[in-house]
Amino acid sequence: MLTLVIGNKNLSSWSLRPWLVLKHFGLPFEEVKLPLDTPEFHRDIVKYSPTRRVPLLIDGELKIWDSLAIAEYLNEKVQGRAWPADAATRALARAVSAEMHSGFAALRTNWSMKATGTATVPLPAQGVADVVRVQQLWEECRSQFAQRGPWLFGEYSIADAMYAPVALRFRHYGATFSNSIAQAYQQQLVQDPYMQEWIAAAQVEVDTHYGT
């Protein structure tokens, strides 16, 4: 049995990504949730993670940290099904995912992850540019691969999991959409049944003053 160590569902964007990959590709796993930024987190995380961060995947004696590294490992578990099948599309999906993994710092810093509620927080110029770039990526991918299915590259892939927390950020902070294709994809991400499961659990955290 795989074990995924995660943070609060209301707050932990990096935890959401491999969680969605596990769910979408039917890999059974045990979930260990640690409350971020609490004494309990700092006490317990050392039992699991050499980086003292979440997420962390445990498979027997193997420990894997970093969301994208975990996703790549899970892709091997499902015989490559978590990336597009053809090489060209797969390369594009990896590039789009890597851009999310390493970029959009202003967006992520100013619009921190919140799976529940709404807020108004102005973005600096670079944050606005990040929102524009994300929506451009979504529009380009969806326009090119719409005939294959409703996700970025048609069928669900790691790329969709990488951008799922952005959809929640856009919802929470009321992002303005420049095109209907990007807006429809944002709704596709939010209405995903597994995302709805995550959001419902995040709401319970908030209702019990855990994860606010």
Side-chain angles (χ1 to χ4, degrees):
M1 174 71 74
L2 298 169
T3 299
L4 185 68
V5 183
I6 64 173
N8 311 46
K9 289 185 175 176
N10 192 40
L11 305 177
S12 186
S13 61
W14 292 109
S15 297
L16 172 58
R17 293 173 168 111
W19 188 92
L20 284 171
V21 175
L22 285 159
K23 287 285 188 174
H24 269 276
F25 292 95
L27 290 165
F29 69 102
E30 179 181 348
E31 176 185 305
V32 174
K33 184 167 64 173
L34 304 179
L36 298 173
D37 301 322
T38 65
E40 292 82 4
F41 180 88
H42 297 293
R43 179 195 67 205
D44 295 338
I45 190 62
V46 295
K47 303 174 187 176
Y48 300 104
S49 176
T51 65
R52 300 191 178 190
R53 295 180 179 180
V54 290
L56 178 89
L57 183 75
I58 303 171
D59 187 4
E61 297 299 315
L62 178 64
K63 292 184 176 181
I64 306 168
W65 57 95
D66 184 273
S67 293
L68 194 53
I70 294 170
E72 288 283 11
Y73 181 72
L74 297 176
N75 178 60
E76 295 183 15
K77 288 276 189 184
V78 296
Q79 293 76 49
R81 292 187 293 111
W83 287 119
D86 64 281
T89 307
R90 187 164 61 249
L92 181 58
R94 280 194 162 112
V96 166
S97 298
E99 185 173 352
M100 179 70 256
H101 189 258
S102 62
F104 306 112
L107 169 62
R108 291 190 278 117
T109 299
N110 290 277
W111 282 2
S112 59
M113 162 81 165
K114 291 289 180 66
T116 63
T118 59
T120 300
V121 177
L123 284 174
Q126 186 54 57
V128 173
D130 285 348
V131 171
V132 171
R133 174 58 181 157
V134 167
Q135 293 186 23
Q136 178 189 29
L137 279 172
W138 289 359
E139 181 184 20
E140 290 174 355
C141 293
R142 289 300 305 128
S143 297
Q144 185 174 352
F145 298 100
Q147 299 304 313
R148 300 187 184 184
W151 301 104
L152 269 187
F153 298 93
E155 296 182 350
Y156 195 90
S157 75
I158 290 169
D160 300 290
M162 290 300 293
Y163 282 89
V166 180
L168 293 180
R169 284 179 162 97
F170 283 2
R171 185 181 75 151
H172 183 80
Y173 297 101
T176 299
F177 285 88
S178 58
N179 63 82
S180 60
I181 295 174
Q183 187 171 22
Y185 176 66
Q186 186 257 358
Q187 289 299 306
Q188 175 74 13
L189 286 170
V190 171
Q191 295 304 319
D192 170 24
Y194 295 123
M195 181 78 99
Q196 288 292 305
E197 180 182 340
W198 178 279
I199 293 169
Q203 187 62 58
V204 171
E205 293 176 355
V206 173
D207 291 344
T208 56
H209 307 288
Y210 168 72
T212 57

